[in-house]
Amino acid sequence: MQKELKQDENISIDDLIPETASRYTQEDIKKVSNSYKNRDKNVNNRTLCVNLAKNIGKKVIIKGSVHKINSLGGIEFFALRDRSGMTQIVFEGSVVTQKICCEAIIEVEGLITKEERSPYDNIEIKGQSLKILGSAASDLPIAINGNYNNINLPTLLDYRGLSVRIPKVSKVFKIQSEILRLYGEYLRKNDFSEIKTSKIISTGTEGGANIFELKYFDRVAYLAQSPQFYKQTMVGSGFERVFEVGPVFRAEMSNTVRHLSEYTSMDLEMGFIKDEQDIIDMQENLLKYMFTEIKKLYGDEIKEEFGVDIVIPEVFPRIHFLEALDIAYKKGVKDMDGDISPEGEKAVCDYADKELGSPFVYIVGYPIKKRPMYTMPDERLPGYTRSFDLLYKGLEITTGGQRINDYETLRKNIIAFGGNPNSFKTYLDIFKYGMPPHGGLGMGLERVTMKMLGFNNVREASLFPRDIGRITP
RNA sequence: GACCAUAUAGCGCAGUUGGUUAGCGCGUCGGCCUGUCAAGCCGAAGGUCGCGGGUUCGAGCCCCGUUAUGGUCGCCA
C-alpha cells in the first residue's frame, strides 16, 4: 500500500531547478566540459578484497558495504563486503566518530596487515580514516549477514532488493550469469549465431490457453510463449544454426515449485541434421562443457554452500518413451494411461541415477498427441515422434526434437491439430520455399540453475520471479 | 483450476483440555568492554495474534466466512 506523502514531501520537479539554471555563462559550461578531459583517473583507485593478499604492507583505499560490526569499546571490527569478497577492518582509537549501521557504504583508507586473528584469510586492514559514501538506516527488515535459512522464501522474495545482497543469494546469480555465458560461448564456438526475436506476437505458437494477452494500440497482441517460429525462420534464412536467450511467458494456472509465469528460455535450432539424435548430441556436449566449466569455477563453493556435487556423466542415457513407461511401471508407478506422469519421470530419473550413474536422462519419442504440430513423426514407430525431453534430477529442463520440414506434411498437421493454415501463412511460407531438415530445443535457465544447486523451488533461482500470485518486486 | 496446510514483534518460531499482564532466539535502541569472528555482560523498546463475523462469563486457541502464503495434482521448461 502506498503511504500518503507528508506536506513537506509535496515538491515538484521545478523546485529542483534553481533560477540561475538559465543564466550559466560559457565559462561555467567550459569549466565542466574541460573536466571531462583533464580528470584525475587515479582519484577512484580502489583495492578490492580479493586483491588484498598481494598488497600486504601497503596503504590502500577500499570501498564497500558494512557487512557486520563488532564493537568492543576501544576497538571496532567491521566486516566489509565488495563485489569480490569480504575483509575485516579494525579501527582503534577514535577513527569512527559517526554512527554507522550495517549496509552503509563506506570508504576506508588503511594499512593491509597480516593478522592471524582475522577471520578473512588472516588479513585485515588497520583503518586510518573512514568516509560514508551512502548511509544506511538501522531497521533492516532482513539480516544480510545472518543465517540465510532463518528467512522464508516469500520473505526473501518480498525484500528481493535487499536479499540479493546476502552473499549466498548473490552467489546463485553469479553462477547463473556464468551458465548464460558458457551457453553462448559453446554455441558460438560451434558456428551458432545469437538472435533476438520479438516477444510481442499476434498469434500463439503452441496454441492453448496459457498465453498472456495485452493491449497493443488498438489491437490485441500476445506475449510469446516461445521463439519457436522465429528460430526456424532463421535456420531457413541461411544462418543454419541459431540460438536465443530470452524471456518467455506462460499464463499457466500452475502454482508449483517449478513453474514461473515468465522465465528465461535458452533456445537453439540447427539445420542439416540427420535426426533428433544430432540435436541431443549437440546438447549433451554443450551441457558437459557448461557443467565442467561451472564445476571448475564454483565446484568447491557449491559443495560448501549448497551441499551438492556437480556430477557430469560420461554419457547421458537416452531412453525411448515406451521404455521409460516400462521402467516406471516396473517401479510401481500406476495410473499413467499411456503417458508418463511426473511420478513416472521421477522413477525414470531414479533408474538413470542408480543404474546408469547419471543425473541426466533423455526420454525420446513422445507420442504425437503430446507434442506440438510441428514435431517430426518417427516413421519407424508410427504414432510417436522424433522429440525428446531432458530430465535432470527428476525435473524436465528441456524439450526438443526434430521438426517437420516438408511444407505439405506441416500444412496437413496444422489442420489435424485443429488449426487453420491461413493463419500460419508466414510460417508455412518458409517451408514452401525450401527448408533444411532441422530441429532444436528450449532449456529453462531457472530450472537448470535450481537443480544444479539443489534447490527445491525454482523461485530461488529467479532474481525477480513472476508467478500466479507475484508481480512485485 | 481442484485438494491439503499455514497465518502470533523487523526476521525465525513457541503458546498445554478455552482462563490473569501473549512468550523465546536473532535483530534494533541505550550502557560497559582493545581481538571480535554465532562476541560477551547489563538494561529497554517493539504485538489490533491476517481480516470479518459467531459460540462463550471469558477466544491466539473452538465454529463460519474471507484474504494472503506454502505445498500437492493437472500442465509444463
Side-chain angles (χ1 to χ4, degrees), chain A residues 257-465:
Chain A
V257 289
R258 61 189 186 284
H259 282 90
L260 293 169
S261 305
E262 176 181 359
Y263 70 90
T264 305
S265 183
M266 298 187 282
D267 273 271
L268 66 85
E269 199 78 17
M270 58 192 278
F272 299 97
I273 58 168
K274 182 174 169 289
D275 55 32
E276 82 289 347
Q277 295 301 315
D278 288 343
I279 308 290
I280 297 179
D281 285 344
M282 179 61 71
Q283 189 189 25
E284 184 176 322
N285 290 325
L286 165 66
L287 288 173
K288 279 179 187 163
Y289 176 76
M290 291 168 64
F291 277 63
T292 304
E293 291 300 308
I294 293 284
K295 191 169 183 171
K296 268 191 229 162
L297 287 167
Y298 289 105
D300 294 342
E301 287 176 71
I302 290 171
K303 176 74 183 162
E304 192 185 328
E305 296 243 36
F306 304 104
V308 291
D309 273 315
I310 293 181
V311 176
I312 306 150
E314 288 281 314
V315 279
F316 291 26
R318 304 175 192 190
I319 298 172
H320 192 272
F321 176 82
L322 294 170
E323 278 181 291
L325 263 183
D326 213 43
I327 291 165
Y329 275 123
K330 280 185 182 143
K331 289 230 174 203
V333 181
K334 300 261 179 329
D335 301 325
M336 288 194 293
D337 195 27
D339 184 23
I340 194 151
S341 62
E343 200 194 341
E345 286 181 348
K346 287 214 175 73
V348 174
C349 282
D350 197 50
Y351 164 83
D353 194 38
K354 298 236 165 73
E355 312 280 324
L356 309 169
S358 172
F360 298 91
V361 58
Y362 283 99
I363 299 180
V364 191
Y366 279 79
I368 284 176
K369 276 193 175 171
K370 300 300 297 177
R371 293 282 143 149
M373 51 77 177
Y374 50 76
T375 310
M376 182 69 95
D378 189 340
E379 72 289 349
R380 300 164 304 179
L381 291 169
Y384 294 86
T385 64
R386 289 190 174 274
S387 69
F388 61 88
D389 276 2
L390 173 61
L391 310 183
Y392 176 40
K393 294 185 186 173
L395 181 67
E396 193 178 323
I397 59 163
T398 284
T399 293
Q402 184 175 359
R403 328 293 190 190
I404 295 167
N405 67 308
D406 175 66
Y407 172 74
E408 269 310 319
T409 314
L410 185 59
R411 213 184 69 89
K412 279 184 192 138
N413 249 41
I414 289 173
I415 298 165
F417 274 74
N420 180 350
N422 294 330
S423 52
F424 289 92
K425 187 175 181 310
T426 315
Y427 179 57
L428 273 169
D429 273 355
I430 72 171
F431 298 89
K432 188 171 176 184
Y433 301 109
M435 192 66 180
H438 70 283
L441 55 85
M443 176 158 56
L445 171 68
E446 294 83 355
R447 284 191 176 184
V448 172
T449 312
M450 163 198 184
K451 282 295 170 179
M452 178 190 274
L453 302 180
F455 299 149
N456 40 34
N457 195 316
V458 72
R459 279 160 257 237
E460 280 190 73
S462 173
L463 270 174
F464 301 102

Side-chain angles (χ1 to χ4, degrees), chain A residues 28-205:
Chain A
D28 291 332
I29 299 163
K30 203 75 191 163
K31 226 184 268 175
V32 173
S33 79
N34 279 340
S35 74
Y36 301 157
K37 289 174 256 172
N38 304 328
R39 73 189 200 279
D40 179 1
K41 286 178 183 161
N42 289 324
V43 147
N44 200 35
N45 73 345
R46 164 191 179 201
T47 306
L48 292 173
C49 291
V50 74
N51 293 327
L52 294 175
K54 45 186 147 171
N55 288 299
I56 287 173
K58 284 189 190 156
K59 190 171 168 180
V60 292
I61 291 171
I62 57 167
K63 302 181 191 188
S65 303
V66 176
H67 189 70
K68 196 171 187 184
I69 301 170
N70 275 334
S71 175
L72 279 76
I75 186 166
E76 290 190 86
F77 299 94
F78 280 39
L80 180 122
R81 197 177 73 235
D82 68 20
R83 68 171 187 272
S84 75
M86 304 241 277
T87 192
Q88 171 165 283
I89 305 165
V90 186
F91 292 107
E92 285 180 272
S94 51
V95 181
V96 184
T97 49
Q98 321 91 310
K99 164 82 183 155
I100 294 180
C101 296
C102 283
E103 292 306 299
I105 311 299
I106 59 169
E107 172 181 333
V108 174
E109 195 174 43
L111 198 67
I112 310 176
T113 329
K114 189 91 188 148
E115 172 56 70
E116 295 301 322
R117 291 170 293 184
S118 169
Y120 298 104
D121 265 351
N122 296 330
I123 290 168
E124 70 182 18
I125 292 175
K126 307 283 188 207
Q128 292 163 339
S129 71
L130 177 147
K131 202 155 85 183
I132 297 176
L133 303 179
S135 62
S138 65
D139 57 344
L140 257 182
I142 54 169
I144 307 301
N145 56 19
N147 186 353
Y148 171 101
N149 298 320
N150 284 346
I151 311 174
N152 294 324
L153 185 57
T155 310
L156 284 173
L157 297 178
D158 286 344
Y159 295 108
R160 198 43 140 174
L162 296 171
S163 68
V164 285
R165 298 180 183 195
I166 299 171
K168 190 171 171 181
V169 174
S170 68
K171 183 68 67 188
V172 174
F173 298 102
K174 278 262 171 65
I175 292 166
Q176 189 169 76
S177 168
E178 292 301 309
I179 291 174
L180 287 167
R181 178 180 67 80
L182 293 162
Y183 178 78
E185 193 171 283
Y186 184 86
L187 291 176
R188 280 176 217 282
K189 278 187 201 158
N190 282 276
D191 256 359
F192 281 78
S193 301
E194 180 164 12
I195 56 169
K196 295 292 177 195
T197 63
S198 179
K199 303 303 155 202
I200 303 172
I201 53 169
S202 62
T203 48
T205 48

